[in-house]
Amino acid sequence: MDYTDAGLTELISEAQSEVLAAAFPHQERAATKMKAHVDRIGANLRNLTPSQREEVLGALRTLIDQYDS
């Protein structure tokens, strides 16, 4: 093992790549599930009054804004 700055940087980079590779399948499954939930929300929005739709959409915008920054 190389304990120089370059060697440690390479070791950290390899570890990060392994973690990302291991997490990717989980992220894909989570994204697929979330897409299904979004589709159901979209279908349900059509059954709401305009004021109810605005309330739900406002709550969703607030939630999205938390993760957008």
Side-chain angles (χ1 to χ4, degrees):
M1 186 173 315
D2 184 1
Y3 289 107
T4 64
D5 285 347
L8 291 173
T9 299
E10 183 179 336
L11 183 63
I12 290 169
S13 179
E14 288 172 7
Q16 287 174 330
S17 294
E18 289 176 18
V19 168
L20 287 173
F24 187 74
H26 170 73
Q27 291 170 326
E28 275 198 359
R29 285 190 303 271
T32 299
K33 287 170 91 174
M34 186 171 288
K35 171 83 170 67
H37 290 304
V38 168
D39 290 342
R40 278 193 295 262
I41 289 170
N44 286 324
L45 282 173
R46 288 187 278 281
N47 298 322
L48 300 177
T49 66
S51 63
Q52 290 171 322
R53 260 194 304 276
E54 276 305 310
E55 185 178 340
V56 170
L57 291 173
L60 288 170
R61 283 186 199 102
T62 299
L63 179 64
I64 290 167
D65 288 345
Q66 291 176 10
Y67 295 96
D68 200 26
S69 44

Tab-separated table of all heavy atoms in Angstrom:
chain	number	residue	atom	x	y	z
A	1	MET	N	0.850	-1.175	0.000
A	1	MET	CA	0.000	0.000	0.000
A	1	MET	C	0.891	1.232	0.000
A	1	MET	O	1.898	1.273	0.683
A	1	MET	CB	-0.908	-0.004	1.224
A	1	MET	CG	-1.891	1.108	1.162
A	1	MET	SD	-3.178	1.159	2.429
A	1	MET	CE	-3.789	-0.468	2.557
A	2	ASP	N	0.504	2.229	-0.776
A	2	ASP	CA	1.261	3.469	-0.941
A	2	ASP	C	0.667	4.542	-0.026
A	2	ASP	O	-0.466	4.967	-0.213
A	2	ASP	CB	1.184	3.893	-2.402
A	2	ASP	CG	2.016	5.123	-2.714
A	2	ASP	OD1	2.676	5.645	-1.801
A	2	ASP	OD2	1.993	5.552	-3.872
A	3	TYR	N	1.441	4.971	0.979
A	3	TYR	CA	0.940	5.953	1.935
A	3	TYR	C	1.330	7.385	1.575
A	3	TYR	O	1.241	8.266	2.407
A	3	TYR	CB	1.416	5.611	3.347
A	3	TYR	CG	0.732	4.393	3.897
A	3	TYR	CD1	1.399	3.183	4.017
A	3	TYR	CD2	-0.602	4.442	4.286
A	3	TYR	CE1	0.764	2.056	4.518
A	3	TYR	CE2	-1.247	3.332	4.787
A	3	TYR	CZ	-0.560	2.143	4.895
A	3	TYR	OH	-1.201	1.027	5.386
A	4	THR	N	1.738	7.625	0.361
A	4	THR	CA	1.998	8.997	-0.070
A	4	THR	C	0.651	9.679	-0.322
A	4	THR	O	-0.398	9.036	-0.379
A	4	THR	CB	2.820	9.018	-1.379
A	4	THR	OG1	2.036	8.412	-2.413
A	4	THR	CG2	4.133	8.277	-1.220
A	5	ASP	N	0.689	11.000	-0.481
A	5	ASP	CA	-0.551	11.729	-0.769
A	5	ASP	C	-1.230	11.180	-2.012
A	5	ASP	O	-2.446	10.962	-2.032
A	5	ASP	CB	-0.268	13.224	-0.963
A	5	ASP	CG	0.004	13.945	0.349
A	5	ASP	OD1	-0.267	13.359	1.420
A	5	ASP	OD2	0.470	15.094	0.293
A	6	ALA	N	-0.454	10.927	-3.054
A	6	ALA	CA	-1.022	10.407	-4.299
A	6	ALA	C	-1.607	9.007	-4.086
A	6	ALA	O	-2.681	8.686	-4.586
A	6	ALA	CB	0.030	10.384	-5.397
A	7	GLY	N	-0.899	8.188	-3.333
A	7	GLY	CA	-1.370	6.835	-3.070
A	7	GLY	C	-2.650	6.828	-2.255
A	7	GLY	O	-3.581	6.070	-2.541
A	8	LEU	N	-2.709	7.683	-1.231
A	8	LEU	CA	-3.922	7.764	-0.409
A	8	LEU	C	-5.090	8.335	-1.210
A	8	LEU	O	-6.222	7.887	-1.070
A	8	LEU	CB	-3.663	8.605	0.837
A	8	LEU	CG	-2.713	7.966	1.863
A	8	LEU	CD1	-2.384	8.936	2.973
A	8	LEU	CD2	-3.330	6.695	2.428
A	9	THR	N	-4.810	9.311	-2.051
A	9	THR	CA	-5.856	9.880	-2.902
A	9	THR	C	-6.423	8.811	-3.826
A	9	THR	O	-7.634	8.701	-4.011
A	9	THR	CB	-5.308	11.069	-3.718
A	9	THR	OG1	-4.853	12.071	-2.815
A	9	THR	CG2	-6.362	11.646	-4.635
A	10	GLU	N	-5.538	7.993	-4.395
A	10	GLU	CA	-5.983	6.908	-5.280
A	10	GLU	C	-6.802	5.884	-4.504
A	10	GLU	O	-7.836	5.411	-4.977
A	10	GLU	CB	-4.784	6.236	-5.940
A	10	GLU	CG	-5.187	5.161	-6.926
A	10	GLU	CD	-3.981	4.507	-7.590
A	10	GLU	OE1	-2.912	5.135	-7.662
A	10	GLU	OE2	-4.143	3.370	-8.043
A	11	LEU	N	-6.355	5.544	-3.291
A	11	LEU	CA	-7.076	4.582	-2.455
A	11	LEU	C	-8.480	5.102	-2.124
A	11	LEU	O	-9.468	4.366	-2.210
A	11	LEU	CB	-6.285	4.314	-1.168
A	11	LEU	CG	-6.849	3.290	-0.202
A	11	LEU	CD1	-6.899	1.919	-0.859
A	11	LEU	CD2	-6.009	3.252	1.054
A	12	ILE	N	-8.581	6.379	-1.772
A	12	ILE	CA	-9.877	6.982	-1.458
A	12	ILE	C	-10.769	6.983	-2.700
A	12	ILE	O	-11.951	6.659	-2.629
A	12	ILE	CB	-9.692	8.417	-0.899
A	12	ILE	CG1	-9.078	8.334	0.498
A	12	ILE	CG2	-11.016	9.178	-0.878
A	12	ILE	CD1	-8.612	9.663	1.051
A	13	SER	N	-10.198	7.310	-3.842
A	13	SER	CA	-10.959	7.320	-5.090
A	13	SER	C	-11.498	5.935	-5.413
A	13	SER	O	-12.664	5.783	-5.817
A	13	SER	CB	-10.079	7.830	-6.226
A	13	SER	OG	-10.782	7.815	-7.437
A	14	GLU	N	-10.694	4.912	-5.220
A	14	GLU	CA	-11.139	3.539	-5.470
A	14	GLU	C	-12.261	3.151	-4.513
A	14	GLU	O	-13.238	2.518	-4.920
A	14	GLU	CB	-9.965	2.570	-5.337
A	14	GLU	CG	-8.965	2.664	-6.478
A	14	GLU	CD	-7.710	1.839	-6.235
A	14	GLU	OE1	-7.656	1.079	-5.250
A	14	GLU	OE2	-6.778	1.959	-7.052
A	15	ALA	N	-12.123	3.537	-3.255
A	15	ALA	CA	-13.160	3.223	-2.259
A	15	ALA	C	-14.466	3.927	-2.617
A	15	ALA	O	-15.551	3.334	-2.527
A	15	ALA	CB	-12.695	3.617	-0.863
A	16	GLN	N	-14.381	5.196	-3.024
A	16	GLN	CA	-15.586	5.928	-3.411
A	16	GLN	C	-16.259	5.261	-4.606
A	16	GLN	O	-17.481	5.136	-4.653
A	16	GLN	CB	-15.244	7.380	-3.753
A	16	GLN	CG	-14.912	8.214	-2.542
A	16	GLN	CD	-14.442	9.615	-2.907
A	16	GLN	OE1	-13.844	9.823	-3.958
A	16	GLN	NE2	-14.690	10.564	-2.026
A	17	SER	N	-15.475	4.815	-5.568
A	17	SER	CA	-16.031	4.135	-6.745
A	17	SER	C	-16.748	2.853	-6.346
A	17	SER	O	-17.824	2.543	-6.868
A	17	SER	CB	-14.924	3.827	-7.750
A	17	SER	OG	-14.394	5.011	-8.278
A	18	GLU	N	-16.172	2.105	-5.417
A	18	GLU	CA	-16.799	0.866	-4.958
A	18	GLU	C	-18.111	1.144	-4.243
A	18	GLU	O	-19.102	0.431	-4.438
A	18	GLU	CB	-15.845	0.101	-4.041
A	18	GLU	CG	-14.665	-0.512	-4.771
A	18	GLU	CD	-13.673	-1.186	-3.832
A	18	GLU	OE1	-14.036	-1.479	-2.674
A	18	GLU	OE2	-12.532	-1.406	-4.261
A	19	VAL	N	-18.137	2.181	-3.420
A	19	VAL	CA	-19.366	2.539	-2.698
A	19	VAL	C	-20.443	2.970	-3.687
A	19	VAL	O	-21.604	2.554	-3.590
A	19	VAL	CB	-19.096	3.646	-1.650
A	19	VAL	CG1	-20.398	4.226	-1.102
A	19	VAL	CG2	-18.235	3.106	-0.517
A	20	LEU	N	-20.079	3.799	-4.655
A	20	LEU	CA	-21.048	4.242	-5.657
A	20	LEU	C	-21.590	3.072	-6.470
A	20	LEU	O	-22.791	2.991	-6.749
A	20	LEU	CB	-20.419	5.279	-6.588
A	20	LEU	CG	-20.193	6.659	-5.986
A	20	LEU	CD1	-19.396	7.532	-6.958
A	20	LEU	CD2	-21.504	7.322	-5.631
A	21	ALA	N	-20.721	2.157	-6.847
A	21	ALA	CA	-21.152	0.988	-7.619
A	21	ALA	C	-22.119	0.126	-6.805
A	21	ALA	O	-23.099	-0.394	-7.336
A	21	ALA	CB	-19.943	0.172	-8.065
A	22	ALA	N	-21.855	-0.001	-5.508
A	22	ALA	CA	-22.730	-0.798	-4.646
A	22	ALA	C	-24.072	-0.108	-4.416
A	22	ALA	O	-25.108	-0.765	-4.303
A	22	ALA	CB	-22.042	-1.064	-3.309
A	23	ALA	N	-24.081	1.224	-4.371
A	23	ALA	CA	-25.304	1.976	-4.092
A	23	ALA	C	-26.190	2.138	-5.324
A	23	ALA	O	-27.401	2.307	-5.196
A	23	ALA	CB	-24.946	3.351	-3.531
A	24	PHE	N	-25.606	2.071	-6.516
A	24	PHE	CA	-26.353	2.365	-7.735
A	24	PHE	C	-27.617	1.525	-7.903
A	24	PHE	O	-28.685	2.077	-8.201
A	24	PHE	CB	-25.447	2.245	-8.956
A	24	PHE	CG	-26.097	2.701	-10.220
A	24	PHE	CD1	-26.284	4.052	-10.474
A	24	PHE	CD2	-26.555	1.781	-11.148
A	24	PHE	CE1	-26.901	4.480	-11.638
A	24	PHE	CE2	-27.178	2.203	-12.317
A	24	PHE	CZ	-27.349	3.550	-12.558
A	25	PRO	N	-27.577	0.193	-7.727
A	25	PRO	CA	-28.810	-0.594	-7.888
A	25	PRO	C	-29.914	-0.149	-6.927
A	25	PRO	O	-31.082	-0.094	-7.296
A	25	PRO	CB	-28.373	-2.035	-7.614
A	25	PRO	CG	-26.908	-2.051	-7.896
A	25	PRO	CD	-26.418	-0.676	-7.493
A	26	HIS	N	-29.533	0.178	-5.694
A	26	HIS	CA	-30.524	0.645	-4.718
A	26	HIS	C	-31.127	1.972	-5.183
A	26	HIS	O	-32.336	2.171	-5.089
A	26	HIS	CB	-29.885	0.810	-3.336
A	26	HIS	CG	-30.786	1.499	-2.362
A	26	HIS	ND1	-31.888	0.886	-1.822
A	26	HIS	CD2	-30.760	2.755	-1.851
A	26	HIS	CE1	-32.509	1.727	-1.022
A	26	HIS	NE2	-31.842	2.869	-1.022
A	27	GLN	N	-30.293	2.866	-5.696
A	27	GLN	CA	-30.785	4.158	-6.166
A	27	GLN	C	-31.733	3.981	-7.342
A	27	GLN	O	-32.745	4.679	-7.437
A	27	GLN	CB	-29.618	5.055	-6.566
A	27	GLN	CG	-28.782	5.514	-5.390
A	27	GLN	CD	-27.496	6.186	-5.821
A	27	GLN	OE1	-26.903	5.817	-6.835
A	27	GLN	NE2	-27.058	7.163	-5.049
A	28	GLU	N	-31.433	3.062	-8.232
A	28	GLU	CA	-32.321	2.810	-9.371
A	28	GLU	C	-33.670	2.284	-8.909
A	28	GLU	O	-34.711	2.713	-9.396
A	28	GLU	CB	-31.682	1.818	-10.346
A	28	GLU	CG	-30.765	2.477	-11.327
A	28	GLU	CD	-30.493	1.579	-12.539
A	28	GLU	OE1	-30.999	0.448	-12.609
A	28	GLU	OE2	-29.768	2.050	-13.413
A	29	ARG	N	-33.665	1.360	-7.949
A	29	ARG	CA	-34.930	0.835	-7.425
A	29	ARG	C	-35.719	1.933	-6.740
A	29	ARG	O	-36.936	2.044	-6.923
A	29	ARG	CB	-34.670	-0.325	-6.451
A	29	ARG	CG	-34.269	-1.614	-7.135
A	29	ARG	CD	-34.262	-2.795	-6.179
A	29	ARG	NE	-33.391	-2.604	-5.026
A	29	ARG	CZ	-32.103	-2.923	-4.991
A	29	ARG	NH1	-31.513	-3.439	-6.057
A	29	ARG	NH2	-31.394	-2.734	-3.902
A	30	ALA	N	-35.037	2.767	-5.956
A	30	ALA	CA	-35.718	3.868	-5.266
A	30	ALA	C	-36.313	4.853	-6.272
A	30	ALA	O	-37.440	5.323	-6.097
A	30	ALA	CB	-34.749	4.583	-4.323
A	31	ALA	N	-35.578	5.158	-7.327
A	31	ALA	CA	-36.077	6.085	-8.353
A	31	ALA	C	-37.285	5.496	-9.069
A	31	ALA	O	-38.260	6.207	-9.351
A	31	ALA	CB	-34.972	6.422	-9.349
A	32	THR	N	-37.268	4.208	-9.347
A	32	THR	CA	-38.394	3.552	-10.004
A	32	THR	C	-39.637	3.601	-9.122
A	32	THR	O	-40.742	3.899	-9.585
A	32	THR	CB	-38.041	2.095	-10.362
A	32	THR	OG1	-36.924	2.109	-11.258
A	32	THR	CG2	-39.204	1.362	-11.008
A	33	LYS	N	-39.456	3.327	-7.829
A	33	LYS	CA	-40.579	3.382	-6.896
A	33	LYS	C	-41.118	4.801	-6.793
A	33	LYS	O	-42.330	5.023	-6.776
A	33	LYS	CB	-40.153	2.875	-5.515
A	33	LYS	CG	-39.950	1.376	-5.449
A	33	LYS	CD	-39.306	0.968	-4.154
A	33	LYS	CE	-40.322	0.646	-3.106
A	33	LYS	NZ	-39.709	0.111	-1.876
A	34	MET	N	-40.214	5.783	-6.736
A	34	MET	CA	-40.647	7.168	-6.621
A	34	MET	C	-41.427	7.595	-7.866
A	34	MET	O	-42.427	8.299	-7.768
A	34	MET	CB	-39.455	8.091	-6.390
A	34	MET	CG	-39.864	9.520	-6.120
A	34	MET	SD	-38.488	10.544	-5.602
A	34	MET	CE	-38.219	9.905	-3.963
A	35	LYS	N	-40.970	7.152	-9.040
A	35	LYS	CA	-41.679	7.475	-10.283
A	35	LYS	C	-43.096	6.923	-10.241
A	35	LYS	O	-44.052	7.601	-10.651
A	35	LYS	CB	-40.911	6.904	-11.476
A	35	LYS	CG	-41.627	6.966	-12.796
A	35	LYS	CD	-41.480	8.298	-13.472
A	35	LYS	CE	-41.987	8.307	-14.888
A	35	LYS	NZ	-43.394	8.144	-15.086
A	36	ALA	N	-43.263	5.715	-9.736
A	36	ALA	CA	-44.599	5.127	-9.618
A	36	ALA	C	-45.468	5.959	-8.677
A	36	ALA	O	-46.657	6.189	-8.951
A	36	ALA	CB	-44.510	3.683	-9.133
A	37	HIS	N	-44.898	6.426	-7.583
A	37	HIS	CA	-45.638	7.278	-6.649
A	37	HIS	C	-46.032	8.596	-7.319
A	37	HIS	O	-47.156	9.071	-7.141
A	37	HIS	CB	-44.819	7.573	-5.392
A	37	HIS	CG	-44.640	6.395	-4.493
A	37	HIS	ND1	-45.679	5.667	-3.965
A	37	HIS	CD2	-43.521	5.814	-4.015
A	37	HIS	CE1	-45.221	4.701	-3.218
A	37	HIS	NE2	-43.904	4.751	-3.228
A	38	VAL	N	-45.132	9.166	-8.093
A	38	VAL	CA	-45.422	10.418	-8.801
A	38	VAL	C	-46.565	10.201	-9.790
A	38	VAL	O	-47.464	11.045	-9.905
A	38	VAL	CB	-44.161	10.962	-9.500
A	38	VAL	CG1	-44.493	12.080	-10.470
A	38	VAL	CG2	-43.151	11.444	-8.461
A	39	ASP	N	-46.548	9.083	-10.488
A	39	ASP	CA	-47.629	8.785	-11.423
A	39	ASP	C	-48.972	8.693	-10.701
A	39	ASP	O	-49.989	9.199	-11.189
A	39	ASP	CB	-47.352	7.484	-12.176
A	39	ASP	CG	-46.209	7.611	-13.167
A	39	ASP	OD1	-45.840	8.752	-13.532
A	39	ASP	OD2	-45.666	6.556	-13.573
A	40	ARG	N	-48.984	8.067	-9.520
A	40	ARG	CA	-50.228	7.968	-8.738
A	40	ARG	C	-50.671	9.340	-8.244
A	40	ARG	O	-51.860	9.648	-8.249
A	40	ARG	CB	-50.047	7.011	-7.563
A	40	ARG	CG	-50.216	5.564	-7.973
A	40	ARG	CD	-50.348	4.674	-6.761
A	40	ARG	NE	-49.135	4.682	-5.970
A	40	ARG	CZ	-48.188	3.750	-6.032
A	40	ARG	NH1	-48.329	2.722	-6.816
A	40	ARG	NH2	-47.116	3.833	-5.292
A	41	ILE	N	-49.713	10.158	-7.817
A	41	ILE	CA	-50.054	11.515	-7.375
A	41	ILE	C	-50.681	12.284	-8.534
A	41	ILE	O	-51.692	12.970	-8.367
A	41	ILE	CB	-48.810	12.257	-6.828
A	41	ILE	CG1	-48.399	11.663	-5.481
A	41	ILE	CG2	-49.095	13.757	-6.676
A	41	ILE	CD1	-47.052	12.155	-4.982
A	42	GLY	N	-50.082	12.161	-9.722
A	42	GLY	CA	-50.628	12.833	-10.896
A	42	GLY	C	-52.057	12.407	-11.178
A	42	GLY	O	-52.922	13.240	-11.475
A	43	ALA	N	-52.321	11.114	-11.087
A	43	ALA	CA	-53.681	10.616	-11.320
A	43	ALA	C	-54.646	11.154	-10.271
A	43	ALA	O	-55.776	11.541	-10.588
A	43	ALA	CB	-53.681	9.085	-11.315
A	44	ASN	N	-54.196	11.211	-9.032
A	44	ASN	CA	-55.058	11.695	-7.952
A	44	ASN	C	-55.287	13.203	-8.026
A	44	ASN	O	-56.340	13.690	-7.610
A	44	ASN	CB	-54.473	11.328	-6.593
A	44	ASN	CG	-54.627	9.855	-6.287
A	44	ASN	OD1	-55.617	9.242	-6.648
A	44	ASN	ND2	-53.642	9.281	-5.630
A	45	LEU	N	-54.328	13.948	-8.556
A	45	LEU	CA	-54.500	15.396	-8.678
A	45	LEU	C	-55.705	15.741	-9.548
A	45	LEU	O	-56.372	16.754	-9.324
A	45	LEU	CB	-53.243	16.048	-9.256
A	45	LEU	CG	-52.070	16.254	-8.299
A	45	LEU	CD1	-50.856	16.742	-9.073
A	45	LEU	CD2	-52.425	17.218	-7.188
A	46	ARG	N	-55.982	14.907	-10.527
A	46	ARG	CA	-57.122	15.166	-11.406
A	46	ARG	C	-58.456	15.090	-10.662
A	46	ARG	O	-59.457	15.634	-11.113
A	46	ARG	CB	-57.115	14.178	-12.571
A	46	ARG	CG	-56.023	14.464	-13.578
A	46	ARG	CD	-56.142	13.585	-14.822
A	46	ARG	NE	-55.587	12.251	-14.672
A	46	ARG	CZ	-54.288	11.969	-14.743
A	46	ARG	NH1	-53.419	12.907	-14.932
A	46	ARG	NH2	-53.877	10.722	-14.614
A	47	ASN	N	-58.479	14.416	-9.517
A	47	ASN	CA	-59.716	14.263	-8.744
A	47	ASN	C	-59.908	15.357	-7.694
A	47	ASN	O	-60.899	15.332	-6.975
A	47	ASN	CB	-59.739	12.892	-8.058
A	47	ASN	CG	-59.709	11.762	-9.062
A	47	ASN	OD1	-60.327	11.846	-10.114
A	47	ASN	ND2	-58.974	10.714	-8.755
A	48	LEU	N	-58.975	16.282	-7.595
A	48	LEU	CA	-59.061	17.334	-6.577
A	48	LEU	C	-59.643	18.615	-7.160
A	48	LEU	O	-59.593	18.844	-8.372
A	48	LEU	CB	-57.664	17.633	-6.020
A	48	LEU	CG	-56.925	16.474	-5.351
A	48	LEU	CD1	-55.544	16.919	-4.928
A	48	LEU	CD2	-57.713	15.933	-4.166
A	49	THR	N	-60.152	19.430	-6.274
A	49	THR	CA	-60.598	20.752	-6.699
A	49	THR	C	-59.364	21.591	-7.010
A	49	THR	O	-58.250	21.261	-6.555
A	49	THR	CB	-61.409	21.444	-5.593
A	49	THR	OG1	-60.535	21.696	-4.480
A	49	THR	CG2	-62.611	20.606	-5.157
A	50	PRO	N	-59.530	22.681	-7.754
A	50	PRO	CA	-58.376	23.533	-8.055
A	50	PRO	C	-57.648	24.018	-6.799
A	50	PRO	O	-56.416	24.024	-6.768
A	50	PRO	CB	-58.983	24.698	-8.842
A	50	PRO	CG	-60.174	24.095	-9.520
A	50	PRO	CD	-60.722	23.115	-8.509
A	51	SER	N	-58.365	24.371	-5.752
A	51	SER	CA	-57.692	24.847	-4.530
A	51	SER	C	-56.942	23.709	-3.839
A	51	SER	O	-55.848	23.909	-3.301
A	51	SER	CB	-58.684	25.504	-3.574
A	51	SER	OG	-59.649	24.574	-3.127
A	52	GLN	N	-57.502	22.511	-3.859
A	52	GLN	CA	-56.809	21.365	-3.273
A	52	GLN	C	-55.549	21.044	-4.071
A	52	GLN	O	-54.508	20.731	-3.499
A	52	GLN	CB	-57.729	20.137	-3.239
A	52	GLN	CG	-58.855	20.237	-2.249
A	52	GLN	CD	-59.856	19.110	-2.408
A	52	GLN	OE1	-60.168	18.692	-3.526
A	52	GLN	NE2	-60.382	18.632	-1.283
A	53	ARG	N	-55.654	21.130	-5.407
A	53	ARG	CA	-54.485	20.894	-6.261
A	53	ARG	C	-53.372	21.875	-5.938
A	53	ARG	O	-52.211	21.495	-5.811
A	53	ARG	CB	-54.873	21.021	-7.736
A	53	ARG	CG	-55.094	19.714	-8.423
A	53	ARG	CD	-55.144	19.848	-9.929
A	53	ARG	NE	-56.124	20.780	-10.433
A	53	ARG	CZ	-57.403	20.503	-10.633
A	53	ARG	NH1	-57.864	19.314	-10.368
A	53	ARG	NH2	-58.219	21.412	-11.100
A	54	GLU	N	-53.728	23.141	-5.801
A	54	GLU	CA	-52.722	24.159	-5.479
A	54	GLU	C	-52.066	23.872	-4.132
A	54	GLU	O	-50.851	24.033	-3.975
A	54	GLU	CB	-53.341	25.563	-5.479
A	54	GLU	CG	-53.421	26.182	-6.835
A	54	GLU	CD	-52.071	26.226	-7.539
A	54	GLU	OE1	-51.078	26.691	-6.952
A	54	GLU	OE2	-52.014	25.778	-8.699
A	55	GLU	N	-52.848	23.435	-3.169
A	55	GLU	CA	-52.303	23.111	-1.842
A	55	GLU	C	-51.308	21.947	-1.928
A	55	GLU	O	-50.202	22.013	-1.378
A	55	GLU	CB	-53.448	22.759	-0.883
A	55	GLU	CG	-52.999	22.537	0.532
A	55	GLU	CD	-54.172	22.234	1.464
A	55	GLU	OE1	-55.329	22.558	1.120
A	55	GLU	OE2	-53.904	21.667	2.530
A	56	VAL	N	-51.690	20.905	-2.648
A	56	VAL	CA	-50.809	19.736	-2.800
A	56	VAL	C	-49.555	20.123	-3.579
A	56	VAL	O	-48.431	19.776	-3.192
A	56	VAL	CB	-51.551	18.568	-3.482
A	56	VAL	CG1	-50.589	17.451	-3.856
A	56	VAL	CG2	-52.660	18.046	-2.583
A	57	LEU	N	-49.726	20.857	-4.683
A	57	LEU	CA	-48.574	21.253	-5.488
A	57	LEU	C	-47.636	22.167	-4.700
A	57	LEU	O	-46.416	22.069	-4.825
A	57	LEU	CB	-49.034	21.922	-6.782
A	57	LEU	CG	-49.720	20.973	-7.767
A	57	LEU	CD1	-50.302	21.758	-8.938
A	57	LEU	CD2	-48.773	19.909	-8.257
A	58	GLY	N	-48.199	23.042	-3.873
A	58	GLY	CA	-47.371	23.897	-3.025
A	58	GLY	C	-46.539	23.080	-2.037
A	58	GLY	O	-45.360	23.353	-1.819
A	59	ALA	N	-47.174	22.054	-1.460
A	59	ALA	CA	-46.449	21.185	-0.524
A	59	ALA	C	-45.336	20.432	-1.249
A	59	ALA	O	-44.227	20.284	-0.720
A	59	ALA	CB	-47.412	20.204	0.139
A	60	LEU	N	-45.616	19.976	-2.468
A	60	LEU	CA	-44.590	19.281	-3.247
A	60	LEU	C	-43.451	20.219	-3.615
A	60	LEU	O	-42.278	19.829	-3.552
A	60	LEU	CB	-45.196	18.666	-4.509
A	60	LEU	CG	-46.095	17.454	-4.289
A	60	LEU	CD1	-46.825	17.093	-5.580
A	60	LEU	CD2	-45.296	16.277	-3.781
A	61	ARG	N	-43.776	21.471	-3.988
A	61	ARG	CA	-42.718	22.435	-4.309
A	61	ARG	C	-41.816	22.683	-3.103
A	61	ARG	O	-40.595	22.753	-3.237
A	61	ARG	CB	-43.331	23.754	-4.773
A	61	ARG	CG	-43.833	23.725	-6.180
A	61	ARG	CD	-44.308	25.112	-6.639
A	61	ARG	NE	-45.181	24.969	-7.778
A	61	ARG	CZ	-46.506	25.053	-7.749
A	61	ARG	NH1	-47.139	25.316	-6.618
A	61	ARG	NH2	-47.209	24.878	-8.841
A	62	THR	N	-42.426	22.805	-1.931
A	62	THR	CA	-41.655	23.015	-0.700
A	62	THR	C	-40.724	21.840	-0.452
A	62	THR	O	-39.544	22.021	-0.127
A	62	THR	CB	-42.600	23.197	0.502
A	62	THR	OG1	-43.418	24.351	0.265
A	62	THR	CG2	-41.827	23.380	1.795
A	63	LEU	N	-41.231	20.635	-0.632
A	63	LEU	CA	-40.416	19.433	-0.439
A	63	LEU	C	-39.261	19.402	-1.431
A	63	LEU	O	-38.108	19.145	-1.068
A	63	LEU	CB	-41.287	18.187	-0.586
A	63	LEU	CG	-40.582	16.847	-0.445
A	63	LEU	CD1	-40.026	16.685	0.960
A	63	LEU	CD2	-41.545	15.722	-0.765
A	64	ILE	N	-39.555	19.659	-2.696
A	64	ILE	CA	-38.514	19.640	-3.724
A	64	ILE	C	-37.468	20.703	-3.464
A	64	ILE	O	-36.266	20.458	-3.628
A	64	ILE	CB	-39.152	19.794	-5.124
A	64	ILE	CG1	-39.930	18.525	-5.459
A	64	ILE	CG2	-38.094	20.083	-6.184
A	64	ILE	CD1	-40.846	18.658	-6.662
A	65	ASP	N	-37.902	21.883	-3.053
A	65	ASP	CA	-36.965	22.972	-2.767
A	65	ASP	C	-35.966	22.606	-1.666
A	65	ASP	O	-34.831	23.068	-1.673
A	65	ASP	CB	-37.699	24.255	-2.397
A	65	ASP	CG	-38.386	24.900	-3.581
A	65	ASP	OD1	-38.068	24.518	-4.743
A	65	ASP	OD2	-39.243	25.784	-3.366
A	66	GLN	N	-36.376	21.762	-0.731
A	66	GLN	CA	-35.464	21.332	0.333
A	66	GLN	C	-34.283	20.553	-0.225
A	66	GLN	O	-33.195	20.573	0.331
A	66	GLN	CB	-36.199	20.473	1.356
A	66	GLN	CG	-37.206	21.221	2.178
A	66	GLN	CD	-37.973	20.293	3.099
A	66	GLN	OE1	-37.653	19.116	3.274
A	66	GLN	NE2	-39.017	20.815	3.721
A	67	TYR	N	-34.489	19.846	-1.322
A	67	TYR	CA	-33.440	19.004	-1.890
A	67	TYR	C	-32.751	19.661	-3.079
A	67	TYR	O	-31.795	19.128	-3.600
A	67	TYR	CB	-34.017	17.650	-2.316
A	67	TYR	CG	-34.499	16.871	-1.123
A	67	TYR	CD1	-35.834	16.893	-0.746
A	67	TYR	CD2	-33.597	16.161	-0.345
A	67	TYR	CE1	-36.269	16.189	0.374
A	67	TYR	CE2	-34.034	15.466	0.768
A	67	TYR	CZ	-35.361	15.497	1.115
A	67	TYR	OH	-35.779	14.819	2.227
A	68	ASP	N	-33.262	20.810	-3.496
A	68	ASP	CA	-32.725	21.479	-4.663
A	68	ASP	C	-31.536	22.374	-4.324
A	68	ASP	O	-30.805	22.785	-5.203
A	68	ASP	CB	-33.828	22.312	-5.333
A	68	ASP	CG	-33.506	22.638	-6.762
A	68	ASP	OD1	-32.736	21.879	-7.396
A	68	ASP	OD2	-34.025	23.646	-7.262
A	69	SER	N	-31.349	22.652	-3.067
A	69	SER	CA	-30.248	23.569	-2.703
A	69	SER	C	-29.014	22.850	-2.220
A	69	SER	O	-28.897	21.711	-2.162
A	69	SER	CB	-30.706	24.548	-1.646
A	69	SER	OG	-31.438	23.935	-0.630
